[in-house]
Amino acid sequence: MSKEKFVYFFGGGKTDGKADMREILGGKGANLAEMANMGIPGPPGFTITTNVCKIYYDNNKKYPDEVREQVKEQLEKLEQLQGKKLGDPSDPLLVSIRSGAADSMPGMMDTVLNLGLNDEAVEGLIKKTRNERFVWDAYRRFIQMFGDVAMGVHKEDFDKAFESVKKARGIKDDADMNVEDFKKVVKLFKEVYKKQVKKDFPQDPMVQLWAAIDAVFNSWNNDRAIKYRALNNIKGLLGTAVNVQAMVFGNYGETSGTGVCFSRDPSTGENYFYGEYLMNAQGEDVVAGIRTPQTLKFLEKQNPKIYAELVSYRDKLEKHFKNMQDIEFTIEQGILYILQTRNAKRTGPAAVRCAVEMVEEGLIDKETAIKRVTPEQLDQLLHPMIDPKLRKTLKPAAKGLNASPGAACGQVVFTADEAEKWVKDGKKVLLVRRETSPNDIGGMAVAQGILTSTGGMTSHAAVVARGMGTPCVAGCKDLVISGKAATIKDKKIKEGDFITIDGSTGEVFISKIELAKPKFDSRLTKFLSWADEISHNAVRKNAPKGFLVRTNADQPNDAKAAREFGAQGIGLCRTEHMFFDAGKLELFQEMIIANDIDARKAALKKLLPLQQKDFEGIFKSMDGLPVTIRLLDPPLHEFVPQSPEDIKAFAKKAGIAPDKLKAKIDSLHELNPMLGHRGCRLGITYPEIYDMQVEAIMKAACSQAKKKVKVCPEIMIPLIGTYQELKILKENAEKVVEAVFKTTKTEIPYLIGTMIEIPRACITADEIAPHADFYSFGTNDLTQMTFGYSRDDAGTFLPFYVETEVLEKDPFQAIDQTGVGVLMKMAVDKGKQIKPNLKLGICGEHGGEASSIEFCYRIGLDYVSCSPYRVPLARLAAAQAVLKNR
Amino acid sequence: MSKEKFVYFFGGGKTDGKADMREILGGKGANLAEMANMGIPGPPGFTITTNVCKIYYDNNKKYPDEVREQVKEQLEKLEQLQGKKLGDPSDPLLVSIRSGAADSMPGMMDTVLNLGLNDEAVEGLIKKTRNERFVWDAYRRFIQMFGDVAMGVHKEDFDKAFESVKKARGIKDDADMNVEDFKKVVKLFKEVYKKQVKKDFPQDPMVQLWAAIDAVFNSWNNDRAIKYRALNNIKGLLGTAVNVQAMVFGNYGETSGTGVCFSRDPSTGENYFYGEYLMNAQGEDVVAGIRTPQTLKFLEKQNPKIYAELVSYRDKLEKHFKNMQDIEFTIEQGILYILQTRNAKRTGPAAVRCAVEMVEEGLIDKETAIKRVTPEQLDQLLHPMIDPKLRKTLKPAAKGLNASPGAACGQVVFTADEAEKWVKDGKKVLLVRRETSPNDIGGMAVAQGILTSTGGMTSHAAVVARGMGTPCVAGCKDLVISGKAATIKDKKIKEGDFITIDGSTGEVFISKIELAKPKFDSRLTKFLSWADEISHNAVRKNAPKGFLVRTNADQPNDAKAAREFGAQGIGLCRTEHMFFDAGKLELFQEMIIANDIDARKAALKKLLPLQQKDFEGIFKSMDGLPVTIRLLDPPLHEFVPQSPEDIKAFAKKAGIAPDKLKAKIDSLHELNPMLGHRGCRLGITYPEIYDMQVEAIMKAACSQAKKKVKVCPEIMIPLIGTYQELKILKENAEKVVEAVFKTTKTEIPYLIGTMIEIPRACITADEIAPHADFYSFGTNDLTQMTFGYSRDDAGTFLPFYVETEVLEKDPFQAIDQTGVGVLMKMAVDKGKQIKPNLKLGICGEHGGEASSIEFCYRIGLDYVSCSPYRVPLARLAAAQAVLKNR
């Protein structure tokens, strides 16, 4: 066995490691080594490998002798390189001890700075720096950090001692403390240390060093770190590495300084060198905002040589890492050190711009560009937003569910009718309701945003708002509405007050806030065309070529918008949404209250041409693309008036006794309408309804086909639970289709399929497949039934479940792959086993969520369908799914 | 290849077949052969095998020559044996042609009688019988039957011709027709025949014979027969056999007669020779009831020789077939022929008595006895019933669902309150409601029976009625209730009217009917002990020894009753049912409306000793047997007042503002309570409720244990959908248990498990298993969620689904093995994979249904649990499941 290398040196032309050694050097160690290899000047040092961490734990927290030897060896190398020695009374070397695992775990493990200071070294450092106050301050900081991190001394006791010195001198601000004060603090800190550790503060730098190394390794398994790894699903690591690095100081004096810079603008993505710095300061001073930092422009003037050097490193680093860099630098006595570089965090617009421009610059390829932008970042581009800079100064009054993204601001109204009235008067309104119902559609359509106090991510308000692209915060528990007034905690809200909601975060602000508008520019168009290249050409074993994004759209204008957003067809057109128009609703109600089949048919006959016209509009706007149309799904009672006044008015218009009408409406009442007489159950018991709908669809399709529109209707039968239902309804539909072909003398291709949304349909998908041309997963209902959660009622416990981690995620937001996903996979497998060319898609809300899109890709669906405003996001997520599973 | 035998002779000492040749001779043919072998005198004949039927169809409806040859050969043998020839003008042989497949398909296929008659044979027969009228009548019957069955002549045309003769003579009754009339009929029939068949009626008996054989084979594939086989799941048969048998006539004259006898009394099972006969009559005269038949006692006097012979055959046949026989006999000119014997249909009481006595007589073994009684027959013994003889004269006014078995009669009341009032006044009432709710419990408990107009087999009324053993007809659609009056079709029902319901059939009668009381006698006790011997010793690969029956019981007296019925423990004790007692309900309501945790805890503290007392009663009555107690399951709104008056009254008593109380109650309202905030979701959000319940259970168990009662509590947590829920609640419960052990200084064994009733629980049963000691399938909810059916609302489409065969069976009555069953099996397999000794049971309503019990046995459950009054039936079904799957 050759001798294992436990300690890797970096800096000064003698670097042992490199970037691809993350696993044993950790992310930070590998990056430091890489920078050193590139000739970027950073403080030198060495990395103790992650394997030592493992050995440390395996070996009852002891190190093999070789580790101690190698550390000693490398430390000597470091001292030689720096020309300084640990603890040297004339010119001491100071080092930092930092953790760094292969996966980033920011802030979870421990760090010790300024190590190497002791009573003698302090004197040496003062000689070198001629800055007594800085040195004593550094010493007291070291004692405090070392005591806390390495020895477990209670931090509060240090704080108390520190405050006592300030109090004795009547000082409030640390900046007013002088050298004597800090000397006193050091004395007191040593006493605190001794009292708790039962030993003197160690003067031997080697004792300090090993205690700090121990501390970092120990912190690998502190509660915080364990929990972080569990939460972020970080598994299979050996442990953390330990980085020992020479300290440099930006506060050495007027020729020293420190700063942070970005290789491009992280807000906009624009390609110019952006950054801030402060002379004679420490890193935290730049961040803390006590002094106002200078821009790099100023550095260019003040110290063109240093600036030019920094620019050269920025160029080098960005080219090397092929990504926008966030670089920390320190100037110590006129010498520039790069302390750290990492990929920069950026806004959505910056992410897209940067990705596209880097491809154009030839820095990265298109696939890399696609991987660089998260779906959430993309989403920021598609909705109005509160300016992120302004945001920091605002405190939300309450938080609800981020039900439909984007920010909205308007005057509060409490009913849909009022919303329509106010908007007619030229006002912008925000509709505030306990929950919404189909009767509120008119008001919802004109509102800037919607805020509800109950209901979850798939409540009526949430679903409709997402469909309309209207921002919505749902289930805001702190909102209590009574009549035309509401309160949030103690704040009162009355009609006409301005409020602002952020549907991307769920935040609610009781004030008027200016919003930034979204833009769908040519850069984004280009970016998404690259995404489509990837997803449209995806090749999988278990599915035909390509993975597409369709949209859920019920109206021609929605369909048009979605097509502009890049939808490759309609995955779900809900016919019932068409009934809510004034003229149609009355006819549909007439049908519902009909006492016999003849009266029902008469009403349906009047409805037919109106539905046909709707479908014609949709087919026209989707010329050449498939359109999946779902037959009537909701229970009938959703369409009839409920309040005594409405019933009275309706009875009068319809010419029936109010009592009789009420009895009829009551008979439609259900205890659990979600599990009641709806979907295909209506189609079976009232076949004339589906017959009319199929006739309207096919007449519309044929009339458009005659006008040279390419129509691809896919008739979808909802809520199938047994193959018999589908068999009967398919046969009924085919009869109607044949009749339409005959009368119109036109034949067009069409499909008949079903929504898979009942658990039993998944289980018996092999029985159903012979009768279906396609399956489209209705994951909203499937999730409701698989979990036994009503999405309208789950607000009472589901948020609590997510908060307390009973559930990892809200299953109405992301597909529950462990439960619902198993049923979906079963349905896919059983369906394909019988019919290998079965067309498969998803039209539940999950079709617009990234992790769900990836799951759909993995199990072999042909497409996902989502609301128009989610289409761009879904296109990106689809491409990423393809890349991730290649 | 040796020559295949296509035709088998029987009778006259030359019988070719025997009883175990059902497959090729059919049931009837095999039985005729067996009787002949036994020396029982029957008319001889021959059977054409089922294989000929197959060949006939495979061969484009042609017979191989060998078949024709063999038929000819056997026919000659028959003619020789009888000393008569087909079509002989002096003494013709007449034969019947009958179908007979391996499985009985009564009335589905065709029969031709009196074959061999033609214009000449008529004369011969008249010579022999000296009964001209009988012969001409026989001839016209033959033409009609042959024409209809073999040649497809419209029956109505024969009927018309027949009526025209009667009309011309002014006759109303067939009995008044004379020889001339029948001659005219024959003439007209021949004309009808010729007109439709375009040929003369065939005079050649061989032509008649082959046409009749064709007709029987063709009838194997008529629509009726195909549908019958599909419905009864009869598969894999070759076809039907054809039996050609010499005719004998009980109406040859005064020394002829015909009768039906049973080897025991089919009503009571008593072991005496029971039967009826008529001299000079045909079989149908005995059945038709025009003449009153004589009892066998009279035959004994009238013709002791024939009687003695008949007795000897009865003894022989019963001993041979080891079952109660239903025997048809004919006396032709003083000679006794046994035409047919088969196992007798019998009532429930007769089935049990007969089975038990035959074991005692050494005729059959216990296992055979167990197989002989159907669960439905057993059920008849356990409920009051309408006398079956009386039943025939009654016509039900309407039919609903047979929701809880047994008949009940009482005066109609329309509210639960009225029910209680009337019963206090000493009256017997029948509660008639649209549907029932927990508020109706008081009235339901005192009613003789319950009738509802809506709701299915697992509606509240049905479930509670079954639990109480109260007869119930649910979802009677023709019943329309308005206020204190109702109508069924056009009949009015007012308060106080008598009605009778039969909960075993769903029938409703608008009259007072006397009922027969059930009796649980020592014979039944013995019979069921044999069932237990089988099921308690069942050995399966996938489960521990034994398959038990527990009961669902919420009160000590129910538990006691169930134990007397043979329950081996409680499988489901619903704690919430205990809250409906007046004192407890108020405390529970106080808990629900509490505004904070302290107020909630205070109310629960008061409730604790009351629940503890309930549990003590249950443990005491189940001494030595396990008791599974389910923690609170229903949503809280079920417990609070709903009507404005009730809210007002409650607010006053509780000392809160009615507005506030209403707001609180409204906040509990859910759109789909079935999928809402209930079950373990309450346990997670209000842990103090479950803590109280667990404390009450364990304190009760420990206090009973101290009194030497053997307690085996099994705490069941309902509605688990994720393992995290169970993990949290189990840990909570264990803490409470430990505390109780400490304070009571007692330790007892106990289990904590979960109900599996959410589809996701089945799918993730492997994740849940580590946290559960047992799984109990809640198949009511599992069925609701797997199908997406609300049992409260499914009344609008489910009956229609069952009627039109969209569903084979109501899945709330029998487990849907294709859908729900797959999830159950998945849960069993995944659960056992992680925990091989996981205890498994079922406590849904299906636990009392025979096919479901068998399914549970097959997938490896340890026990089923059902309502107390179903326990005996379940014990039988459990034993039968074991025998069937051995």
Side-chain angles (χ1 to χ4, degrees), chain A residues 675 725 760 788 790 801 816, chain B residues 675 681 725 760 790 801 816:
Chain A
L675 305 176
E725 288 168 327
R760 196 177 187 279
S790 156
Y801 267 32
D816 158 49
Chain B
L675 306 177
R681 299 164 197 171
E725 289 168 327
R760 196 177 187 280
S790 157
Y801 267 32
D816 158 48

Side-chain angles (χ1 to χ4, degrees), chain A residues 434-435 666-667 669-678 680-682 684-685 719 721-722 724-725 728 758-761 763-764 767 784-794 796-797 800-801 804-808 816 818-820 822-823 826 830, chain B residues 434-435 666-667 669-678 680-682 684-685 719 721-722 724-725 728 758-761 763-764 767 784-794 796-797 800-801 804-808 816 818-820 822-823 826 830:
Chain A
R434 194 165 177 271
E435 58 194 350
D666 284 351
S667 78
H669 170 76
E670 294 184 304
L671 288 176
N672 295 289
M674 165 68 214
L675 305 176
H677 196 179
R678 51 175 284 239
C680 69
R681 299 163 198 172
L682 291 170
I684 295 275
T685 48
L719 217 71
T722 75
Q724 291 97 327
E725 288 168 327
I728 292 167
I758 299 254
R760 196 177 187 279
I763 302 167
T764 62
E767 290 186 352
Q784 293 196 82
M785 292 179 214
T786 305
F787 273 91
Y789 292 165
S790 156
R791 64 188 191 189
D792 294 310
D793 303 311
T796 45
F797 59 90
F800 182 77
Y801 267 32
T804 56
E805 293 167 27
V806 173
L807 287 171
E808 247 179 70
D816 158 49
T818 322
V820 176
V822 170
L823 285 178
M826 188 189 283
K830 287 190 168 196
Chain B
R434 195 168 177 271
E435 58 193 353
D666 284 351
S667 78
H669 170 76
E670 294 183 305
L671 288 176
N672 294 289
M674 165 69 215
L675 306 177
H677 196 179
R678 51 175 287 239
C680 69
R681 299 164 197 171
L682 291 170
I684 295 276
T685 48
L719 216 70
T722 74
Q724 290 97 327
E725 289 168 327
I728 292 167
I758 300 255
R760 196 177 187 280
I763 302 167
T764 61
E767 290 187 352
Q784 294 197 80
M785 290 179 217
T786 305
F787 274 91
Y789 293 164
S790 157
R791 64 186 191 191
D792 294 311
D793 303 311
T796 45
F797 59 89
F800 182 78
Y801 267 32
T804 57
E805 292 166 28
V806 173
L807 288 172
E808 247 179 69
D816 158 48
T818 322
V820 176
V822 170
L823 285 178
M826 187 188 282
K830 287 191 169 195

Side-chain angles (χ1 to χ4, degrees), chain A residues 246-476:
Chain A
M247 296 282 303
V248 290
F249 295 94
N251 53 352
Y252 240 107
E254 290 312 316
T255 58
S256 299
T258 192
V260 177
C261 57
F262 291 84
S263 62
R264 304 188 184 209
D265 186 326
S267 294
T268 65
E270 203 182 334
N271 188 1
Y272 73 91
F273 194 23
Y274 169 93
E276 294 176 329
Y277 78 105
L278 274 173
M279 292 310 284
N280 198 13
Q282 283 187 300
E284 61 193 58
D285 298 334
V286 181
V287 181
I290 299 167
R291 284 161 60 193
T292 304
Q294 308 284 357
T295 66
L296 289 185
K297 274 262 171 277
F298 193 76
L299 179 65
E300 192 176 3
K301 264 190 247 167
Q302 200 185 35
N303 195 333
K305 204 182 128 267
I306 291 270
Y307 177 75
E309 200 185 341
L310 188 59
V311 167
S312 78
Y313 297 149
R314 168 246 189 184
D315 293 347
K316 214 167 173 176
L317 286 168
E318 197 186 81
K319 277 222 176 70
H320 185 79
F321 289 106
K322 296 175 194 295
N323 203 336
M324 189 202 294
Q325 294 299 299
D326 167 352
I327 303 161
E328 286 177 22
F329 63 93
T330 286
I331 307 165
E332 193 188 70
Q333 297 181 300
I335 297 171
L336 176 64
Y337 295 93
I338 304 296
L339 299 186
Q340 179 167 295
T341 188
R342 57 187 166 190
N343 294 336
K345 288 208 171 8
R346 63 205 78 174
T347 65
V352 171
R353 177 165 183 172
C354 191
V356 171
E357 291 187 346
M358 281 187 175
V359 172
E360 291 169 340
E361 292 160 18
L363 203 59
I364 57 174
D365 61 14
K366 290 173 187 172
E367 292 189 0
T368 307
I370 292 299
K371 284 185 199 158
R372 283 276 168 83
V373 181
T374 67
E376 292 71 32
Q377 284 174 326
L378 191 72
D379 204 37
Q380 288 178 22
L381 273 75
L382 302 168
H383 303 282
M385 53 193 285
I386 297 172
D387 186 323
K389 278 168 196 158
L390 193 58
R391 183 58 151 285
K392 286 179 193 160
T393 64
L394 300 166
K395 211 177 151 322
K399 223 180 147 185
L401 298 169
N402 50 340
S404 177
C409 176
Q411 286 178 279
V412 169
V413 290
F414 292 102
T415 70
D417 287 348
E418 288 297 324
E420 295 192 69
K421 260 187 231 159
W422 285 52
V423 170
K424 263 188 201 142
D425 294 347
K427 288 179 177 144
K428 292 189 169 182
V429 301
L430 216 133
L431 180 60
V432 178
R433 304 274 299 156
R434 194 165 177 271
E435 58 194 350
T436 62
S437 79
N439 291 325
D440 296 332
I441 294 275
M444 295 171 80
V446 299
Q448 297 293 309
I450 298 156
L451 169 64
T452 69
S453 60
T454 60
M457 288 303 288
T458 47
S459 60
H460 180 267
V463 172
V464 172
R466 281 196 295 276
M468 293 172 165
T470 302
C472 173
V473 171
C476 177

Side-chain angles (χ1 to χ4, degrees), chain B residues 578-593:
Chain B
M578 298 173 173
F579 293 145
F580 284 110
D581 297 358
K584 276 172 261 178
L585 185 56
E586 277 165 31
L587 288 173
F588 196 67
Q589 289 171 332
E590 192 182 318
M591 189 288 290
I592 293 171
I593 60 157

Side-chain angles (χ1 to χ4, degrees), chain B residues 370-545:
Chain B
I370 291 299
K371 284 184 198 158
R372 283 275 168 84
V373 180
T374 67
E376 293 71 32
Q377 284 174 326
L378 190 74
D379 204 36
Q380 288 177 22
L381 273 75
L382 303 167
H383 304 282
M385 54 193 285
I386 297 173
D387 186 322
K389 278 169 197 159
L390 192 59
R391 182 57 151 286
K392 285 178 194 163
T393 64
L394 299 166
K395 211 177 149 334
K399 224 180 145 184
L401 298 170
N402 50 341
S404 178
C409 176
Q411 286 179 278
V412 169
V413 290
F414 292 101
T415 69
D417 288 346
E418 288 297 325
E420 295 191 70
K421 261 187 230 158
W422 284 53
V423 170
K424 263 189 200 140
D425 294 348
K427 290 180 176 140
K428 292 189 169 181
V429 301
L430 215 134
L431 180 60
V432 177
R433 303 274 298 157
R434 195 168 177 271
E435 58 193 353
T436 62
S437 78
N439 291 325
D440 297 331
I441 295 275
M444 294 172 81
V446 298
Q448 297 294 307
I450 296 156
L451 170 63
T452 69
S453 60
T454 60
M457 289 301 289
T458 47
S459 60
H460 180 266
V463 172
V464 172
R466 281 197 293 276
M468 292 172 166
T470 301
C472 172
V473 171
C476 178
K477 279 188 157 187
D478 289 328
L479 174 69
V480 179
I481 303 172
S482 75
K484 288 205 170 182
T487 55
I488 288 184
K489 287 160 197 170
D490 293 332
K491 285 168 207 147
K492 285 184 182 158
I493 303 170
K494 56 183 198 303
E495 196 178 47
D497 286 355
F498 274 96
I499 66 173
T500 303
I501 60 170
D502 187 338
S504 306
T505 63
E507 288 164 315
V508 180
F509 306 87
I510 311 183
S511 60
K512 187 174 179 174
I513 302 172
E514 287 296 325
L515 306 175
K517 291 218 171 128
K519 37 182 183 171
F520 201 90
D521 61 9
S522 62
R523 211 176 275 125
L524 182 55
T525 304
K526 185 183 273 185
F527 178 75
L528 287 172
S529 76
W530 297 342
D532 289 348
E533 266 173 43
I534 295 165
S535 55
H536 292 193
N537 293 305
V539 174
R540 284 169 288 177
K541 264 189 203 161
N542 57 352
K545 184 177 157 189

Side-chain angles (χ1 to χ4, degrees), chain A residues 737-840:
Chain A
V737 172
E738 287 308 315
V740 171
F741 284 171
K742 220 168 184 178
T743 57
T744 61
K745 291 179 184 132
T746 316
E747 289 217 3
I748 50 156
Y750 71 98
L751 302 179
I752 298 180
T754 175
M755 229 159 139
I756 298 285
E757 53 189 332
I758 299 254
R760 196 177 187 279
C762 297
I763 302 167
T764 62
D766 47 348
E767 290 186 352
I768 295 171
H771 311 286
D773 297 322
F774 63 87
Y775 284 172
S776 177
F777 286 97
T779 44
N780 293 359
D781 278 6
L782 189 59
T783 300
Q784 293 196 82
M785 292 179 214
T786 305
F787 273 91
Y789 292 165
S790 156
R791 64 188 191 189
D792 294 310
D793 303 311
T796 45
F797 59 90
L798 198 52
F800 182 77
Y801 267 32
V802 175
E803 226 168 78
T804 56
E805 293 167 27
V806 173
L807 287 171
E808 247 179 70
K809 286 180 187 173
D810 181 339
F812 293 113
Q813 290 191 29
I815 287 173
D816 158 49
Q817 299 182 17
T818 322
V820 176
V822 170
L823 285 178
M824 290 174 71
K825 178 124 191 358
M826 188 189 283
V828 169
D829 293 347
K830 287 190 168 196
K832 288 213 170 184
Q833 173 198 323
I834 299 299
K835 196 174 264 182
N837 61 345
L838 192 66
K839 199 165 176 177
L840 297 166

Side-chain angles (χ1 to χ4, degrees), chain A residues 128-354:
Chain A
K128 292 298 284 187
T129 62
R130 293 165 202 267
N131 188 338
E132 212 172 347
R133 185 178 179 282
F134 156 69
V135 175
W136 281 103
D137 185 18
Y139 193 22
R140 72 95 189 171
R141 283 176 197 263
F142 171 54
I143 297 172
Q144 182 173 0
M145 212 173 219
F146 180 87
D148 169 24
V149 165
M151 294 298 163
V153 177
H154 299 309
K155 222 178 153 210
E156 311 84 64
D157 293 331
F158 286 128
D159 291 342
K160 259 188 232 157
F162 191 75
E163 289 307 313
S164 74
V165 171
K166 277 163 77 181
K167 207 174 168 189
R169 282 240 299 135
I171 296 174
K172 282 200 171 165
D173 197 338
D174 294 4
D176 296 333
M177 292 172 76
N178 61 25
V179 175
E180 287 314 307
D181 294 332
F182 282 118
K183 282 188 177 170
K184 261 185 218 151
V185 169
V186 166
K187 190 166 168 267
L188 288 175
F189 275 15
K190 284 183 179 168
E191 286 169 15
V192 168
Y193 183 97
K194 185 167 183 181
K195 197 170 172 194
Q196 290 197 27
V197 183
K198 317 278 177 209
K199 272 188 194 171
D200 280 325
F201 176 76
Q203 292 292 321
D204 181 348
M206 287 309 287
V207 172
Q208 294 174 357
L209 179 64
W210 280 106
I213 293 171
D214 283 358
V216 172
F217 281 138
N218 286 335
S219 70
W220 170 253
N221 273 343
N222 68 27
D223 292 346
R224 240 178 0 182
I226 289 173
K227 195 161 178 190
Y228 183 89
R229 288 197 295 273
L231 276 178
N232 291 278
N233 204 21
I234 298 177
K235 282 177 193 162
L237 300 191
L238 291 168
T240 182
V242 174
N243 296 291
V244 178
Q245 188 175 20
M247 296 282 303
V248 290
F249 295 94
N251 53 352
Y252 240 107
E254 290 312 316
T255 58
S256 299
T258 192
V260 177
C261 57
F262 291 84
S263 62
R264 304 188 184 209
D265 186 326
S267 294
T268 65
E270 203 182 334
N271 188 1
Y272 73 91
F273 194 23
Y274 169 93
E276 294 176 329
Y277 78 105
L278 274 173
M279 292 310 284
N280 198 13
Q282 283 187 300
E284 61 193 58
D285 298 334
V286 181
V287 181
I290 299 167
R291 284 161 60 193
T292 304
Q294 308 284 357
T295 66
L296 289 185
K297 274 262 171 277
F298 193 76
L299 179 65
E300 192 176 3
K301 264 190 247 167
Q302 200 185 35
N303 195 333
K305 204 182 128 267
I306 291 270
Y307 177 75
E309 200 185 341
L310 188 59
V311 167
S312 78
Y313 297 149
R314 168 246 189 184
D315 293 347
K316 214 167 173 176
L317 286 168
E318 197 186 81
K319 277 222 176 70
H320 185 79
F321 289 106
K322 296 175 194 295
N323 203 336
M324 189 202 294
Q325 294 299 299
D326 167 352
I327 303 161
E328 286 177 22
F329 63 93
T330 286
I331 307 165
E332 193 188 70
Q333 297 181 300
I335 297 171
L336 176 64
Y337 295 93
I338 304 296
L339 299 186
Q340 179 167 295
T341 188
R342 57 187 166 190
N343 294 336
K345 288 208 171 8
R346 63 205 78 174
T347 65
V352 171
R353 177 165 183 172
C354 191

